[in-house]
Amino acid sequence: MSLSGCGQAPEAGSGAADHLTAADIKEEAAAPANQQNGSPIAVSASSGPKIAYVYDYGFRLAADHIPEVQRQQADLCEKQGPQVCRILEMQQNGGEGDYASGSLSLAVAAPRARAFGTQLVQIAGKADGQQISSSISGEDLSKQIVDTEARLRARTLLRDRLMEVLATRTGKVAELVEAERSVAQVNEEIDEARSWLAEMQGRVNFSRVNLTYQSGAPSSGGFLAPVRMAIGNVTSILGAIAAFLIMAATILIPLGLIAWAIKLAIGWVRRMKGPSAES
């Protein structure tokens, strides 16, 4: 009996694969993200560094020129099409007097970002604008992208193995329910990794260009600085004086009328007492 049992061939579909559970597959997937089943997972590190650039430009313009310059720069972006330039945010604040400010944020295709920035500076220059600041900053996302790609591949492999368990295994109901829960959890992780990967890749493909506008010139120091500040505050000072006079009049006029009425009443009483005393 033992010889015949040893010589019996295994049935189709039996073997170690049939005894693989969801827990076994999870344990197998706990291996390094870039090493599954003894073979490395290919990642996109060979495509070069993945750097997300941010360009900042600051302009000083006359208050009435800011809306026009902002509109021309936004129009230039829209003319390039959404594959090259996109408007992310646009603000404009009209302050008191000659002061105003605004901002414009764009997403520009990375290969054309610097050249496009030059065009934006030229538009401001034609409106007698002055570039007062500029900066370029970059964040290397290469490692994060590679790690996320590797995790995405590992989670996808795990999901496929779990689906195979659900399709082929006939085990206890509890084990099948646990496998289904594992599939749902892995699908959530896959969606999260894809979203994060798309966000990082978008930052690499489209550089952010931030434009800020402000009016007025900075005051210089020295002897004339206090004089210039005083002249600039004359309107505020006169307004404060007028407000004080209005408040004083609002309080003093009623009090004066009351005092005058009391004085008249006292005088009338004295005049009435005079004849009474004489009689």
Side-chain angles (χ1 to χ4, degrees), residues 51-58 110 113-115 117-118 131 133-139 207-210:
I51 301 178
Y53 286 101
V54 178
Y55 298 81
D56 294 302
Y57 299 94
R114 293 194 65 180
T118 302
Q131 182 179 349
S133 65
S134 65
S135 65
I136 302 176
S137 60
E139 181 183 1
S207 300
R208 188 180 180 95
V209 179
N210 299 320

Side-chain angles (χ1 to χ4, degrees), residues 209-225:
V209 179
N210 299 320
L211 310 173
T212 56
Y213 318 88
Q214 64 182 31
S215 61
S219 59
S220 59
F223 174 77
L224 295 178

